[in-house]
Structures are given as C-alpha cells and as structure tokens.
Amino acid sequence: MTTDFLVIGSGIAGLTFALKVAQDFPDKKITVLTKTTADETNTKYAQGGIAAVWDDEVDHFDKHIEDTLIAGDGLCNPKIVEIVVKEGPERVREIIEWGARFDKDPDGEYALGKEGGHSEFRILHYKDVTGKEMERALVEAVRKKPNIEVLSHWFVVDLITQHHLGYLVMKSTPDVECYGVYALNLHTMQMEKIIAAKTLLATGGNGQIYRTTTNPIIATGDGVAMVYRAKGRIENMEFIQFHPTALYEPNVKGYSFLITEAVRGDGGILRNNKGEAFMDKYDERKDLAPRDIVARAIDSEMKINGTEHVWLDCTHMDKEKFIHHFPNIYEKCKSIGIDVMKQMIPVAPAAHYSCGGIKTDEMGRTTIRNLYAAGECSSTGLHGANRLASNSLLEAMVFAHRCYLDVVEHAADLKVNDRIPDWNAEGTTAPREMILITQSLKELQLLMTDYVGIVRTNTRLERASRRLDLLHEETEQLYQETEVSPQLCQLRNMITVSYLVVKGAQFRKESRGLHFNTDYPYKLELVQNIVL
Ligand code: FAD
Ligand code: SIN
C-alpha cells in the first residue's frame, strides 16, 4: 500500500493533522491507522477539559505561561510554552468550528473550569466527558473527507528505515529516514508494508505499563518503542504523571475510572481514613496544588495509615450543580452503590500521563527524517518535569497544526521509496502458549508499580532494571521464534518503554517534578533533559 501521508493513531493529534492536511491537499491520500476502533483512544476518556486563555479580561497569556512553567519545575522549554499558550485559543476555535461542543453559562458565555496549578478559570469542558465530545466531532469531520481513509484494527509493528534496506543504522547514523511502516492487518492477520512520503506518529501514552492506570488498554507506548528501535531520540521518560484521584475499585482490571480534578476545582475535599482533610499539611494550595504534590500527599497518607485509598468528599456540594457538571461520575458512582451526595468516593493515585516521549523540534519533527510526532507520544518541551492539567489536549492540537504547517512548507518533496522489501517472517511459527505473554505482562505491570511508582529509590530502580533485563531477554526470544501478534508486540513495546522510564529515572540524580527519589531529595542546579 502506498499513501502520501500516513497517520498512526486516531486520537486528537492524529485526526487534527489528518483533517488539516486533507483540506489543503484534496488530491493527496491520507491514511490513518488505528489498532482498535477509530474512537478508542486516550482522547475519548479525557474528562476535565482543554486549557486556553479565553476570557482576556481576567486571564492573560502570561499567567497561563507562568502556571505551565511552575508545574514543569524548571524543565519546560519557555519558547514552546509560549507557542502552545498563544496558539492554543485559535486551535480551540477550530475544533468548535468542526462541531465540538463546550458547556456554556446561562448568559451564553463558555463556562470555564479550574484545575490544580491553574491561577485562573480557563478550562473549557463538555460536562465531564470533554474528550468523548472532541473525539466524536473529529471522527465525524474526518468521515466527511473523501481523501482520508481510516483503517481500524491495523496494528503498526515497526517503522521502515534504511535498516530494512540492509544498511547498518545506529544512533550515530546521520539522516535516518522513515519510508513508512510494517503493520499487521488484524482482519486478515497478514503483515503489510505501507509506504508513505510523510508519517506522523500520534500513538498516545503508555499508562498500561502500570497495574493501576486511568489509560485504556491501547496505551502501550508503541510509538515511543518503535522510534527507539529505529534509533530516534527519546527524552524525559522518567516523568510519569500519576493522577491523584482514580476511583478505587480493587477488583476491576484494565483501567481505573477517573474522578476528574475539576471535582476538586468545584470544591471536593480529600480526606484520610480518619476523616481528616489532610492537604493543608502538604501545600498551601491544598486540594488544588499541582498533581505531583497531591499524588505524593495521598501516597504518604495511605502509607502512614496503612490504607489502599483515601476519600474524596463531595457530600457538601450542591447536588444539582454536581449532576450538571459531572453526570458521568455521578452515574458511575451510583452504579457501584455510592451516592456521592451522601457518601465519600474512595480514590487512589493511578498512572495517567507520560510527559516525556519522542523528542521533537518546534514543528513536531522527530530526529528521523520524514517522521513527525504529536500528542502524548511526543516530547515537545511543553510539559518539562510535570504537565499542567488540561494542557495535553491543547498541546496535541497545537503540534498537529505545526506538523501540518511543516508538510505544507515541504510539499514539493513528497517522494516515496519503492524499494522496500516485504516483511520477513522466516523461521517463525504460530504462538503455542499465550500464557507466556500474559504472565510476563502481569510481571511487568507489577514491577513498574512496586519499584518505579510515585516515590522511587536507587535500590528499587536497580531491582526493576534487573527484572526488566530478564523479561526483555525472554520476550525477544519469543519474538524471534513466533509469528507476530499484537499481544506480543505490545508486551515487547511496553518492556522497551519501561526500560526507558527506569533508565531516565536512574540517570536523573535529583528529585524534580514528577520524579521523586528519596536517595536524592533535592534539585541539582544544572537543569538537564535526559535523552536516550
Ligand atoms: P490517543 O488519543 O491516545 O490516541 C492514540 C491512537 O494511537 C489510538 O488511535 C491508538 O489506536 C493508536 N495506536 C497506538 N499504537 C498503535 C499501533 N501500534 N498501531 C496502530 N495504532 C496505534 N488531557 C487534557 O488535556 N485534559 C483532560 O481533561 C484530560 N483528561 C484525561 C482523562 C483520562 C482518563 C486520560 C486517560 C487522559 C486524560 N488527558 C487529558 C490526557 C489526554 O486525554 C491525552 O494525552 C490525549 O488525548 C492523547 O491524545 P493523542 O492523540 O496523543 O493519543
Ligand atoms: C482531569 O480531568 O482531572 C484530567 C485532566 C488532565 O489530565 O489534564
């Protein structure tokens, strides 16, 4: 298969890019690949909303910039922060034009929410299902474009580079180039090569490397692992954001239901098992301190009191307003027997967002030629050591737009390489024991949770590293011998991504933002990105 523009991922980053390119190049073909259904993405699960300076009578770009820089704890790239904050409102207006709805006040103005780390009300939202609404609007807009083809249930296995033409490609090789991808068509279980002039990776996050995460099962870090194998640069992977308040349901597998930070923005209070509101012990901003502080405070309360969760108290909040703003949360809690107006909600931190990822420049270009990255899989310099709430949907749209601007500028060199060999499956046989994959996955999630969680130590990281080596060795052997399956590829990718998280954490000999190591409980003066 040959296409002009290949997009891997159908979340906010992938679809925004696809729409813009389709509009500018009506005679070019845009192919979007997604490993399950078109809308099954992290985007669909976003609750709180999208941050943008909207009401410039009370808010200002400088304030949003400052909040982002403070959360990022010295590691944001100020130029990128300025770009995202200043270009953000225009991108939000665009998605409104494409059909996304956001809540309005009775006077017809957009209702702006507030979340941890924000000094102003600037979060546009659609009830507590903002992402679902944005994804709906994007999928519908894409379906109307005849030159966009969305291929669901196609699993991308690897990027094609000079390596597949028989050349030795190393980290030091200049001008590694991307010619497209090898992907498994899950309808036929055939491996196909898809050749493209330009490829965008918009593969989302990696929360599934942890046992408890808010991320759906698609979030396995595939894009980051592919770029690392293709010898591209990956940065700041140690900064995994744990959301403070995922619903605590010990017997639920897969992913945890999120209780949006906006609930605390509207007055929800965290309490420990003795009923004490504890956040004032940890930060003067109390329940609305940035996420790393709140998550660590909850972790500390759980450890002090020997509990597996704390409580989120909404019983004092206005019922009508709560149901209006958070209908999804209200219904979810009701479905498990919790009346949030009478009972507190059990919550615990869960892996939520990867601040690091595929290193890009200010136009979304990766270190591999003809390969772009946008959205959660990328590391643009916006988030630094900790992402400010609701800045992620914004970054995805701003960078999808910048990638689009770059392809427009280089539209004259849209060439494809037609000498790509077929996938070589020689020497592999059908998988005989899926249990080997599922068991290794459980081990991986457990070791990342136990040794590479909210609070880290050198000993725990060493243990994680040793266990990962063994999992890596066993899984690589399985990969060499077995026919490719999504389960095996995802396990392989998650091991690679976990390795990058652990290595980043070991190289960072300080505590900064989301990375907290009790052996180095201070910040170094020299502020550095860790690039692998
Ligand atoms: P995604 O939306 O995750 O899309 C990834 C796509 O890549 C999917 O289509 C997937 O199928 C595809 N893919 C991945 N690997 C492969 C492969 N190997 N082959 C083929 N396809 C592949 N951010 C905010 O700013 N505000 C919020 O309120 C907010 N709330 C959140 C709530 C939850 C519960 C979660 C999980 C996240 C939230 N976030 C929020 C973060 C935000 O939703 C994500 O960072 C953002 O949506 C990521 O968008 P994306 O386009 O990068 O990737
Ligand atoms: C939330 O709604 O609390 C999540 C917001 C985010 O991850 O940015």
Side-chain angles (χ1 to χ4, degrees), residues 47-48 115 243 258-262 291 352 387 389-391:
Q47 289 191 359
E115 290 175 2
H243 197 292
L258 182 76
I259 307 292
T260 173
E261 200 157 303
R291 241 170 235 184
H352 182 63
R387 174 179 68 100
S390 290
N391 261 1

Side-chain angles (χ1 to χ4, degrees), residues 70 118 134 269 279 281 302 309 347 405 423 436 520:
I70 290 172
H118 287 275
M134 293 174 89
I269 296 169
M279 272 314 297
K281 279 196 293 187
M302 284 167 29
H309 64 83
V347 291
L405 289 181
W423 177 258
L436 296 178
Y520 312 112

Side-chain angles (χ1 to χ4, degrees), residues 139-281:
V139 169
E140 280 180 19
V142 159
R143 293 226 157 101
K144 290 185 195 136
K145 291 277 170 215
N147 54 338
I148 303 181
E149 182 178 34
V150 179
L151 299 177
S152 305
H153 301 283
W154 278 67
F155 185 94
V156 175
V157 175
D158 258 325
L159 300 170
I160 304 173
T161 66
Q162 292 94 322
H163 166 77
H164 299 93
L165 301 176
Y167 297 101
L168 179 66
V169 176
M170 297 190 299
K171 276 258 180 287
S172 55
T173 306
D175 291 338
V176 180
E177 210 168 324
C178 176
Y179 306 122
V181 301
Y182 289 115
L184 187 61
N185 176 346
L186 300 176
H187 305 278
T188 62
M189 291 311 280
Q190 292 300 309
M191 196 68 142
E192 310 275 356
K193 61 181 180 205
I194 306 183
I195 320 290
K198 305 276 179 198
T199 302
L200 170 75
L201 282 172
T203 47
N206 60 30
Q208 285 288 326
I209 62 174
Y210 288 90
R211 194 180 41 173
T212 313
T213 176
T214 61
N215 291 191
I217 56 169
I218 55 111
T220 54
D222 299 352
V224 169
M226 282 188 256
V227 169
Y228 187 68
R229 281 197 292 274
K231 311 296 181 212
R233 299 288 166 180
I234 308 294
E235 88 181 344
N236 291 347
M237 290 297 289
E238 64 278 23
F239 298 119
I240 298 290
Q241 184 171 73
F242 288 81
H243 197 292
T245 56
L247 180 63
Y248 174 74
E249 288 182 285
N251 298 321
V252 168
K253 295 205 167 55
Y255 62 93
S256 305
F257 182 84
L258 182 76
I259 307 292
T260 173
E261 200 157 303
V263 171
R264 277 173 287 130
D266 278 11
I269 296 169
L270 288 162
R271 297 187 186 277
N272 62 20
N273 63 330
K274 297 172 197 137
E276 295 159 355
F278 55 83
M279 272 314 297
D280 55 355
K281 279 196 293 187

